[in-house]
Amino acid sequence: MKDLAEALKECQAIKFGDFTLASGKKSRYYVDIKKASTNPQILKLIAHRISDMMTLRSIRADYVGGVALGGIPVATAVSLETCLPLLMVRKEAKEYGTKGQIVGEPERGKSVVLVEDVTTTGGSVLKAIQILKDEGLSISYVIVVVDREEGASGALAGADVELIPLIRISELLVKKD
């Protein structure tokens, strides 16, 4: 299997220009993991790398969770790779039915490894962590495909959650001669 950084570059998941990020920050580049997560081979590679990271770091969890929208395909692939039940966290509670923000069957007292596509400041993932904790679940780790290295690691550490990136943006933007 090819290197993940190489695969992300090949599928043009890194774009250059003027972008506004979910955090509201302006950036000269954009990491579009959706370009990778819609490619079955790259999505499988990502899921395999996350599963390997869980094994390497001895991360045990009862569920794998993903944050809508970008984290859901990654979490689904990891769920299939690890055979862990899937939890999906909505950004907002729905206005009908059960009005819940968690899709799946969470059980109080169980643990979740949360996966995300890209982190910048960590704001979105911190909200998901709080939603899961409010349901009585514990979260010690977030595994992200790409960390933009703009504060997410420190923000999550403040919530007693370790951010584990598969790739840091500094590694991805390095030009090979």
Side-chain angles (χ1 to χ4, degrees):
M1 272 192 175
K2 68 177 87 171
D3 176 71
L4 182 55
E6 180 184 317
L8 293 176
K9 289 175 184 177
E10 274 182 24
C11 77
Q12 300 177 353
I14 309 299
K15 303 205 179 304
F16 294 92
D18 292 317
F19 301 96
T20 302
L21 308 176
S23 64
K25 288 187 169 193
K26 300 288 185 186
S27 179
R28 292 175 29 203
Y29 64 89
Y30 182 71
V31 182
D32 187 2
I33 297 298
K34 291 160 199 74
K35 295 279 282 186
S37 64
T38 56
N39 177 309
Q41 288 78 27
I42 300 174
L43 183 58
K44 188 181 284 190
L45 175 61
I46 291 168
H48 185 71
R49 294 286 164 83
I50 291 174
S51 177
D52 284 350
M53 184 64 72
M54 291 173 66
T55 301
L56 180 70
R57 301 286 300 269
S58 299
I59 296 171
R60 305 268 185 258
D62 300 301
Y63 303 96
V64 61
V67 184
L69 174 72
I72 299 301
V74 176
T76 301
V78 173
S79 174
L80 291 168
E81 179 80 17
T82 62
C83 294
L84 289 171
L86 176 66
L87 296 177
M88 295 178 278
V89 183
R90 299 175 194 268
K91 290 190 189 251
E92 296 178 9
K94 60 183 184 168
E95 296 295 319
Y96 55 91
T98 61
K99 299 184 181 182
Q101 278 188 270
I102 301 173
V103 178
E105 298 296 325
E107 188 179 324
R108 294 185 79 74
K110 299 288 185 172
S111 64
V112 180
V113 60
L114 202 56
V115 299
E116 182 65 301
D117 59 346
V118 179
T119 54
T120 303
T121 62
S124 297
V125 78
L126 280 169
K127 288 177 187 171
I129 289 167
Q130 192 57 55
I131 291 165
L132 292 166
K133 284 183 174 182
D134 287 349
E135 290 297 315
L137 298 158
S138 65
I139 301 91
S140 297
Y141 302 97
V142 172
I143 302 176
V144 64
V145 180
V146 178
D147 178 20
R148 290 180 54 97
E149 300 177 287
E150 294 184 33
S153 184
L156 269 63
D160 285 330
V161 176
E162 182 180 354
L163 180 67
I164 303 170
L166 296 183
I167 299 175
R168 289 177 175 82
I169 196 66
S170 57
E171 300 163 339
L172 198 54
L173 295 179
V174 170
K175 294 181 181 174
K176 293 184 180 179
D177 294 326

